[in-house]
PDB file of all heavy atoms in Angstrom:
ATOM      1  N   ASN A 293     124.098  77.740 139.468  1.00  0.00           N
ATOM      2  CA  ASN A 293     124.621  76.807 140.461  1.00  0.00           C
ATOM      3  C   ASN A 293     126.143  76.879 140.584  1.00  0.00           C
ATOM      4  O   ASN A 293     126.697  76.672 141.665  1.00  0.00           O
ATOM      5  CB  ASN A 293     124.192  75.389 140.079  1.00  0.00           C
ATOM      6  CG  ASN A 293     124.575  74.370 141.122  1.00  0.00           C
ATOM      7  OD1 ASN A 293     124.194  74.482 142.283  1.00  0.00           O
ATOM      8  ND2 ASN A 293     125.332  73.372 140.707  1.00  0.00           N
ATOM      9  N   TYR A 294     126.819  77.211 139.478  1.00  0.00           N
ATOM     10  CA  TYR A 294     128.275  77.146 139.474  1.00  0.00           C
ATOM     11  C   TYR A 294     128.895  78.236 140.365  1.00  0.00           C
ATOM     12  O   TYR A 294     128.608  79.417 140.219  1.00  0.00           O
ATOM     13  CB  TYR A 294     128.826  77.293 138.060  1.00  0.00           C
ATOM     14  CG  TYR A 294     130.336  77.246 138.010  1.00  0.00           C
ATOM     15  CD1 TYR A 294     131.020  76.068 138.269  1.00  0.00           C
ATOM     16  CD2 TYR A 294     131.082  78.395 137.770  1.00  0.00           C
ATOM     17  CE1 TYR A 294     132.403  76.021 138.262  1.00  0.00           C
ATOM     18  CE2 TYR A 294     132.468  78.351 137.754  1.00  0.00           C
ATOM     19  CZ  TYR A 294     133.114  77.159 138.000  1.00  0.00           C
ATOM     20  OH  TYR A 294     134.482  77.126 138.006  1.00  0.00           O
ATOM     21  N   GLY A 295     129.732  77.806 141.291  1.00  0.00           N
ATOM     22  CA  GLY A 295     130.457  78.744 142.143  1.00  0.00           C
ATOM     23  C   GLY A 295     129.606  79.449 143.174  1.00  0.00           C
ATOM     24  O   GLY A 295     130.089  80.380 143.829  1.00  0.00           O
ATOM     25  N   ILE A 296     128.366  79.009 143.341  1.00  0.00           N
ATOM     26  CA  ILE A 296     127.463  79.728 144.252  1.00  0.00           C
ATOM     27  C   ILE A 296     127.942  79.657 145.703  1.00  0.00           C
ATOM     28  O   ILE A 296     127.600  80.508 146.526  1.00  0.00           O
ATOM     29  CB  ILE A 296     126.024  79.187 144.124  1.00  0.00           C
ATOM     30  CG1 ILE A 296     125.023  80.196 144.715  1.00  0.00           C
ATOM     31  CG2 ILE A 296     125.883  77.816 144.745  1.00  0.00           C
ATOM     32  CD1 ILE A 296     123.572  79.865 144.421  1.00  0.00           C
ATOM     33  N   LEU A 297     128.775  78.662 146.029  1.00  0.00           N
ATOM     34  CA  LEU A 297     129.341  78.589 147.369  1.00  0.00           C
ATOM     35  C   LEU A 297     130.183  79.815 147.693  1.00  0.00           C
ATOM     36  O   LEU A 297     130.318  80.199 148.859  1.00  0.00           O
ATOM     37  CB  LEU A 297     130.205  77.328 147.511  1.00  0.00           C
ATOM     38  CG  LEU A 297     129.471  75.993 147.573  1.00  0.00           C
ATOM     39  CD1 LEU A 297     130.462  74.849 147.503  1.00  0.00           C
ATOM     40  CD2 LEU A 297     128.630  75.894 148.828  1.00  0.00           C
ATOM     41  N   CYS A 298     130.744  80.427 146.645  1.00  0.00           N
ATOM     42  CA  CYS A 298     131.573  81.623 146.842  1.00  0.00           C
ATOM     43  C   CYS A 298     130.738  82.899 146.840  1.00  0.00           C
ATOM     44  O   CYS A 298     130.903  83.749 147.715  1.00  0.00           O
ATOM     45  CB  CYS A 298     132.650  81.697 145.759  1.00  0.00           C
ATOM     46  SG  CYS A 298     133.837  80.345 145.798  1.00  0.00           S
ATOM     47  N   TRP A 299     129.847  83.041 145.857  1.00  0.00           N
ATOM     48  CA  TRP A 299     129.152  84.316 145.685  1.00  0.00           C
ATOM     49  C   TRP A 299     127.719  84.323 146.225  1.00  0.00           C
ATOM     50  O   TRP A 299     127.081  85.382 146.289  1.00  0.00           O
ATOM     51  CB  TRP A 299     129.121  84.719 144.209  1.00  0.00           C
ATOM     52  CG  TRP A 299     128.405  83.756 143.300  1.00  0.00           C
ATOM     53  CD1 TRP A 299     128.953  82.755 142.574  1.00  0.00           C
ATOM     54  CD2 TRP A 299     126.993  83.726 143.025  1.00  0.00           C
ATOM     55  NE1 TRP A 299     127.973  82.084 141.860  1.00  0.00           N
ATOM     56  CE2 TRP A 299     126.776  82.667 142.110  1.00  0.00           C
ATOM     57  CE3 TRP A 299     125.909  84.484 143.442  1.00  0.00           C
ATOM     58  CZ2 TRP A 299     125.511  82.340 141.622  1.00  0.00           C
ATOM     59  CZ3 TRP A 299     124.642  84.168 142.961  1.00  0.00           C
ATOM     60  CH2 TRP A 299     124.463  83.113 142.059  1.00  0.00           C
ATOM     61  N   GLY A 300     127.216  83.182 146.660  1.00  0.00           N
ATOM     62  CA  GLY A 300     125.813  83.102 147.089  1.00  0.00           C
ATOM     63  C   GLY A 300     125.484  83.896 148.330  1.00  0.00           C
ATOM     64  O   GLY A 300     124.313  84.163 148.610  1.00  0.00           O
ATOM     65  N   GLY A 301     126.500  84.304 149.107  1.00  0.00           N
ATOM     66  CA  GLY A 301     126.250  85.115 150.296  1.00  0.00           C
ATOM     67  C   GLY A 301     126.236  86.599 150.024  1.00  0.00           C
ATOM     68  O   GLY A 301     126.283  87.399 150.960  1.00  0.00           O
ATOM     69  N   ALA A 302     126.163  86.988 148.756  1.00  0.00           N
ATOM     70  CA  ALA A 302     126.104  88.411 148.399  1.00  0.00           C
ATOM     71  C   ALA A 302     124.839  89.046 148.962  1.00  0.00           C
ATOM     72  O   ALA A 302     123.886  88.356 149.344  1.00  0.00           O
ATOM     73  CB  ALA A 302     126.157  88.570 146.879  1.00  0.00           C
ATOM     74  N   SER A 303     124.809  90.350 149.014  1.00  0.00           N
ATOM     75  CA  SER A 303     123.672  91.066 149.609  1.00  0.00           C
ATOM     76  C   SER A 303     122.386  90.799 148.831  1.00  0.00           C
ATOM     77  O   SER A 303     122.402  90.421 147.658  1.00  0.00           O
ATOM     78  CB  SER A 303     123.956  92.566 149.641  1.00  0.00           C
ATOM     79  OG  SER A 303     124.034  93.072 148.326  1.00  0.00           O
ATOM     80  N   GLU A 304     121.273  91.025 149.497  1.00  0.00           N
ATOM     81  CA  GLU A 304     119.960  90.771 148.892  1.00  0.00           C
ATOM     82  C   GLU A 304     119.746  91.607 147.639  1.00  0.00           C
ATOM     83  O   GLU A 304     119.103  91.157 146.688  1.00  0.00           O
ATOM     84  CB  GLU A 304     118.856  91.059 149.921  1.00  0.00           C
ATOM     85  CG  GLU A 304     117.472  90.684 149.440  1.00  0.00           C
ATOM     86  CD  GLU A 304     116.401  90.961 150.479  1.00  0.00           C
ATOM     87  OE1 GLU A 304     116.736  91.425 151.582  1.00  0.00           O
ATOM     88  OE2 GLU A 304     115.214  90.714 150.177  1.00  0.00           O
ATOM     89  N   THR A 305     120.272  92.828 147.611  1.00  0.00           N
ATOM     90  CA  THR A 305     120.092  93.684 146.437  1.00  0.00           C
ATOM     91  C   THR A 305     120.770  93.099 145.195  1.00  0.00           C
ATOM     92  O   THR A 305     120.341  93.361 144.070  1.00  0.00           O
ATOM     93  CB  THR A 305     120.660  95.089 146.702  1.00  0.00           C
ATOM     94  OG1 THR A 305     122.042  94.983 147.080  1.00  0.00           O
ATOM     95  CG2 THR A 305     119.886  95.788 147.811  1.00  0.00           C
TER      96      THR A 305
END
Side-chain angles (χ1 to χ4, degrees):
N293 186 57
Y294 179 70
I296 198 170
L297 288 172
C298 296
W299 61 265
S303 66
E304 186 179 359
T305 56

